[in-house]
Amino acid sequence: MKNRDVALHLCGESRFVDDIVLPPDTLHAFPLVSGLAHGVIQQIDVEAARALEGVLAVLTAADIAGANHIGNAAFEEELLANREVLYCGQPIAVIAAKSAALAREAAALCRVAYQPLEAVFDARRADALGLHFAPPRTFVLGDVDRAWAECAVIVEGVSETGAQEHVYLEPQTALAYPLEDGGLKILSATQSPALTQKIIARILAKPMHLVEVDVLRLGGAFGGKEEQATTWAALAALAADQTGRPVKLALTRSEDMAFTGKRHPYSADFKIGLTRQGRILAYQVKFYQNAGAITDLSLAVLERTLFHANGGYFIPNLKATAVSCRTNLRPNTAFRGFGAPQAMFVLESAIFAAARKMGVDPAVIQQQNLLSEGDSFPYGMKAENARGKATWHRLQKAVPGRREAIEDFNRTHRFEKKAVAFMPLCFGISFTSIFLNQAGALVHIYTDGSVSISCGAVEMGQGVTDKLTAVAARVLSISENRIKIESTNTTRIANMSPTAASTGADMNGQAVWIACRELLGNLKKIVAETLAAAETDTVRIQEEVVYLNNIPTNLTWTQLIGKAYMARVPLSAHAFYATPNLYFDCSTETGRPFAYHVYGCAAVEVTLDCLRGRYRVDRVRIVHDGGKSLDVLVDTGQIEGAVLQGLGWLTSEEMIYRDNGMVETADLSTYKIPDIHAAPEIETAFLGEDHPDGLFRSKAVGEPPLMYAIAVYFALAKAVCAFRPDWEPVFAAPFTPEKVLMALYRSRG
Ligand code: LUZ
Ligand code: MOS
């Protein structure tokens, strides 16, 4: 446990927005939300709420001075529903009261009259009704239509994945303070401080410099706070602006689960064609994305789905079409992997179906089709430093005899079956919205030699502060104890991108690197001057002693800083980094959208209890291509967490909606995330290969390992087949124990 915050977390001393001591006049906000999935608002009656003692404001869309817009202005995405409600849980009004309980009580007293409209919850039904957020997009490589004729085996099918709740430990929270100049300071649990600032400014009709957003740390986010923290921060800001008092809004776990968007459910039709030996010649897929009621990040998620349609494989003829379908679920949003896991699950389903038909292990097909150096992706980019095969082969070497052992076990056990399945990974790193690939950093050295670093990265438990500290310590060659990473603040860093897309450490680390290099350059001048040496001589600091051409000087780090200050040399630097060489042309759907790819391979082993449908994930073995890791413990923690989160998505986490679109499973008693007892043994080996363009030769880690968990579905499917060879595979994650039991026993047809 390397994360710098761990000691604080363990002692309960780390602060989150909910821990801040409130000024005595603070009000508490709570939204009135729609209880109907789709309808026209006829009347909003808030009189009873207003009359309640201790209620200071009940605000509706009419109280918004600026634009009633959150998110993409091209779509009608209202902060407070004005005319029409689009989903259950959509905010209609916000109440500010003297206590949180009172605000909730007041919300319950409000009455809304609606004229109900037809609500749609299923992506394919929305598609049939023409409810799309944008025209479908298609990525093409080769020519599938011609390739079918050459295929010896062709399999078609349907594959689906469900929603996933983020279950960040810290629910959505915000605290807004009105300031003397009409501005506001907002503490928000957001991955996107700049977006939150921009939207609040737009809603309140204020210039952005009057809105300061500060983020100390988040208790997890996983994409759930990339866009969806904005609503709560904006509601608190609106109430603070109107009442002139600090306002806090904090959701409980079940409110958060009921009101916020999830990972997008997808349904897909696939068709795959192979040679007799198992070489994939053609793959055609159509993805139906359930976007929910407003676009949020759905179109970006859809794009990442297309970018990962080929998974970890080279498929010479591929045609992938994707469409974002508008339904009346709460707006689905970013979630670790961002549409890529959904795409990869479909391709693995197709490979599994083909393997069944051919009577071979899916691994036989997987191994033959792994991406090689120079292979084309279906978007004009070629695989560089392709490591899929290397990780696959290392993994196979690490699991000698496992398959034989499993076969033996299955022969001798009638009601217990074991299986192992593999998952190759190839995940593109960079925001697919190219403009987001920029970062800034501000580094100060104080006269005592201590260093303060601000940048756009939000710490959310992923350990980005550790990595940034390591970068600064390495460049300045001083002790990590001298370095502090500050909160993420829109006044210190302007226009920062969300901490997302696995790019937080990469991009902000590069900006920190540039700023520290600049400061080192300034200091070098001082050393050269004091010692009457040439500026070209090398200056290095080791254990706080300054070396010149590898010879120790009589200067310490602190003395050097003191001299620099007296000599009026700048001890602050601001730096900017933009990921180089990225471009994409949407008219041809080709370009270079990613700085690089992360590769890897996993083996997931399960044991299935064929009487009860219960199962256990025994072991996950991984060979991961992480470049030269900036911090092996942090990266290992990220990989283990991601795998467990992915296992949950594919096995136990079943999001159930009532007929009216309300979340039925809005509690951790009914929505089952993996617990410590469900955690398998996870063994991670790093390939350790160099990544020449990376930050200190490292690679991003956040999202990719989640997709290793996809193998669990197919391991379970194999175990079901071992018990019941006539089972007709169904590809509909999550594969809950109930569904497994039905697979084991339900009669065909
Ligand atoms: N967010 C985003 C993301 O805005 N664009 C992306 O490409 C992305 N990818 C992964 C996760 N979040
Ligand atoms: Mo994300 S899914 O990188 O916010």
Side-chain angles (χ1 to χ4, degrees):
M1 293 197 290
K2 174 66 195 309
N3 188 320
R4 285 193 145 203
D5 282 356
V6 159
L8 290 176
H9 290 333
L10 286 178
C11 300
E13 287 170 4
S14 42
R15 297 234 173 111
F16 298 85
V17 177
D18 201 37
D19 299 318
I20 306 282
V21 177
L22 302 174
D25 59 343
T26 304
L27 300 176
H28 297 263
F30 192 73
L32 159 66
V33 301
S34 170
L36 186 74
H38 194 198
V40 174
I41 299 174
Q42 290 173 316
Q43 203 200 348
I44 307 173
D45 178 1
V46 298
E47 286 323 307
R50 278 216 175 97
L52 202 64
E53 170 81 30
V55 170
L56 276 90
V58 181
L59 307 169
T60 62
D63 298 296
I64 294 176
N68 182 13
H69 270 302
I70 46 168
N72 190 335
F75 299 89
E76 279 184 25
E77 303 178 348
E78 294 173 328
L79 172 66
L80 292 172
N82 192 17
R83 206 189 66 80
E84 192 177 334
V85 290
L86 300 170
Y87 62 97
C88 267
Q90 183 175 14
I92 298 171
V94 61
I95 290 137
K98 285 186 173 167
S99 77
L102 210 51
R104 283 170 171 79
E105 194 185 327
L109 293 175
C110 296
R111 292 286 167 266
V112 185
Y114 308 98
Q115 184 201 328
L117 296 173
E118 189 197 354
V120 177
F121 303 111
D122 177 72
R124 287 185 190 252
R125 169 141 176 78
D127 177 67
L129 294 171
L131 299 170
H132 301 141
F133 277 120
R137 286 176 68 177
T138 300
F139 281 24
V140 176
L141 186 67
D143 184 345
V144 276
D145 295 328
R146 283 180 52 185
W148 300 123
E150 289 159 39
C151 299
V153 181
I154 295 178
V155 185
E156 292 182 65
V158 174
S159 173
E160 300 184 322
T161 48
Q164 186 178 22
E165 162 62 37
H166 301 82
V167 201
Y168 26 66
L169 279 171
E170 175 199 27
Q172 304 278 357
T173 316
L175 174 55
Y177 302 90
L179 303 176
E180 58 175 18
D181 55 3
L184 291 138
K185 176 166 181 172
I186 296 125
L187 308 185
S188 162
T190 177
Q191 289 171 255
S192 311
L195 178 79
T196 305
Q197 173 199 27
K198 177 175 172 169
I199 290 187
I200 289 173
R202 199 163 76 194
I203 284 165
L204 301 180
K206 294 181 192 296
M208 282 171 72
H209 68 209
L210 285 183
V211 180
E212 174 185 354
V213 176
D214 188 86
V215 183
L216 178 57
R217 67 161 68 72
L218 310 183
F222 311 113
K225 298 170 182 174
E226 188 175 333
E227 289 242 343
Q228 300 218 348
T230 314
T231 303
W232 320 103
L235 292 176
L238 176 66
D241 192 49
Q242 292 269 326
T243 61
R245 300 232 220 148
V247 174
K248 177 173 172 180
L249 199 166
L251 298 182
T252 64
R253 171 68 56 203
S254 50
E255 288 160 359
D256 188 308
M257 289 179 81
F259 299 167
T260 64
K262 320 293 172 208
R263 182 190 292 286
H264 292 76
Y266 273 62
S267 182
D269 295 319
F270 65 79
K271 180 175 176 186
I272 190 168
L274 307 90
T275 64
R276 209 167 300 286
Q277 289 71 34
R279 185 126 196 131
I280 303 171
L281 294 181
Y283 176 57
Q284 185 168 327
V285 59
K286 173 142 190 205
F287 298 103
Y288 299 88
Q289 178 199 56
N290 190 330
I294 65 178
T295 52
D296 185 272
L297 287 160
S298 298
L299 296 175
V301 170
L302 193 80
E303 188 170 63
R304 191 169 279 276
T305 299
L306 287 168
F307 282 122
H308 293 82
N310 65 302
Y313 308 99
F314 171 65
I315 302 175
N317 301 287
L318 181 149
K319 184 173 177 191
T321 302
V323 63
S324 181
C325 306
R326 176 180 192 145
T327 65
N328 298 101
L329 292 183
R330 53 214 34 65
N332 290 314
T333 193
F335 197 138
R336 205 173 197 171
F338 208 77
Q342 291 95 321
M344 292 186 194
F345 182 80
V346 178
L347 180 50
E348 295 301 325
S349 302
I351 290 173
F352 191 92
R356 278 306 300 284
K357 183 151 180 186
M358 295 164 66
V360 298
D361 190 300
V364 172
I365 300 176
Q366 290 176 311
Q367 177 163 338
Q368 283 180 68
N369 293 283
L370 295 170
L371 267 164
S372 302
E373 191 68 21
D375 280 344
S376 292
F377 290 100
Y379 45 85
M381 195 171 165
K382 287 195 191 319
E384 296 160 17
N385 300 316
R387 309 255 168 74
K389 285 187 170 163
T391 57
W392 176 279
H393 293 298
R394 259 262 316 259
L395 186 69
Q396 301 298 329
K397 267 191 220 142
V399 290
R402 279 316 295 159
R403 276 186 236 185
E404 294 71 17
I406 285 168
E407 275 166 31
D408 278 352
F409 181 95
N410 288 350
R411 254 193 304 278
T412 51
H413 292 72
R414 193 169 153 213
F415 291 116
E416 262 191 304
K417 298 293 175 191
K418 282 183 184 289
V420 61
F422 298 93
M423 180 66 203
L425 171 75
C426 170
F427 187 85
I429 301 296
S430 290
F431 284 96
T432 61
S433 306
I434 287 174
F435 71 94
L436 288 174
N437 294 291
Q438 54 176 304
L442 177 64
V443 179
H444 300 314
I445 306 174
Y446 293 103
T447 48
D448 66 352
S450 65
V451 177
S452 153
I453 297 179
S454 296
C455 67
V458 171
E459 174 61 50
M460 49 188 123
Q462 85 280 42
V464 72
T465 47
D466 288 85
K467 292 190 170 180
L468 296 168
T469 307
V471 168
R474 280 208 219 175
V475 177
L476 299 173
S477 47
I478 57 172
S479 154
E480 293 196 358
N481 297 331
R482 289 205 184 265
I483 297 163
K484 179 187 174 209
I485 309 295
E486 306 287 353
S487 67
T488 316
N489 184 296
T490 55
T491 303
R492 274 177 268 119
I493 301 292
N495 314 323
M496 66 189 81
S497 292
T499 302
S502 308
T503 62
D506 268 13
M507 294 202 311
N508 292 285
Q510 292 279 7
V512 167
W513 189 87
I514 297 168
C516 290
R517 292 291 302 179
E518 183 183 326
L519 289 169
L520 204 60
N522 298 348
L523 293 172
K524 200 166 153 179
K525 283 189 203 127
I526 291 297
V527 180
E529 270 167 34
T530 22
L531 300 179
E535 252 192 61
T536 49
D537 292 347
T538 63
V539 169
R540 175 168 69 85
I541 301 136
Q542 190 182 323
E543 287 170 7
E544 321 273 317
V545 177
V546 179
Y547 284 69
L548 184 72
N549 288 341
N550 290 330
I551 299 162
T553 66
N554 57 0
L555 280 176
T556 64
W557 166 255
T558 317
Q559 287 164 339
L560 172 60
I561 299 305
K563 277 191 185 301
Y565 171 73
M566 294 308 288
R568 301 189 292 169
V569 164
L571 291 174
S572 293
H574 176 268
F576 177 78
Y577 176 77
T579 313
N581 200 19
L582 298 177
Y583 49 89
F584 198 73
D585 178 352
C586 288
S587 66
T588 59
E589 304 286 28
T590 57
R592 190 172 189 281
F594 300 120
Y596 59 92
H597 291 83
V598 169
Y599 293 89
C601 190
V604 177
E605 240 181 273
V606 298
T607 306
L608 176 60
D609 168 349
C610 301
L611 284 176
R612 299 174 187 82
R614 300 187 310 194
Y615 48 77
R616 194 175 62 234
V617 183
D618 300 313
R619 203 166 286 104
V620 179
R621 286 198 180 83
I622 294 164
V623 178
H624 185 77
D625 159 41
K628 301 270 183 222
S629 176
L630 277 174
D631 192 319
V632 171
L633 283 177
V634 165
D635 285 355
T636 306
Q638 282 292 294
I639 291 170
E640 291 179 358
V643 167
L644 206 55
Q645 195 163 37
L647 290 175
W649 176 52
L650 289 147
T651 60
S652 66
E653 296 183 35
E654 190 173 29
M655 184 57 65
I656 298 172
Y657 297 94
R658 291 184 201 151
D659 290 346
N660 66 356
M662 201 85 100
V663 177
E664 177 73 58
T665 46
D667 253 303
L668 296 180
S669 54
T670 48
Y671 183 79
K672 187 80 183 92
I673 59 170
D675 59 16
I676 193 69
H677 304 291
E681 193 185 306
I682 301 176
E683 268 171 49
T684 303
F686 290 89
L687 195 62
E689 291 279 337
D690 198 7
H691 176 221
D693 300 332
L695 176 64
F696 285 112
R697 316 181 96 78
S698 70
K699 281 193 174 185
V701 71
E703 299 176 280
L706 182 132
M707 282 148 270
Y708 289 138
I710 289 172
V712 75
Y713 192 98
F714 302 97
L716 288 169
K718 277 171 81 174
V720 171
C721 293
F723 180 77
R724 179 184 181 175
D726 72 326
W727 180 56
E728 191 71 51
V730 175
F731 306 111
F735 213 175
T736 59
E738 293 86 340
K739 287 203 222 159
V740 170
L741 193 65
M742 288 193 276
L744 289 166
Y745 294 105
R746 183 180 268 175
S747 53
R748 284 184 143 200

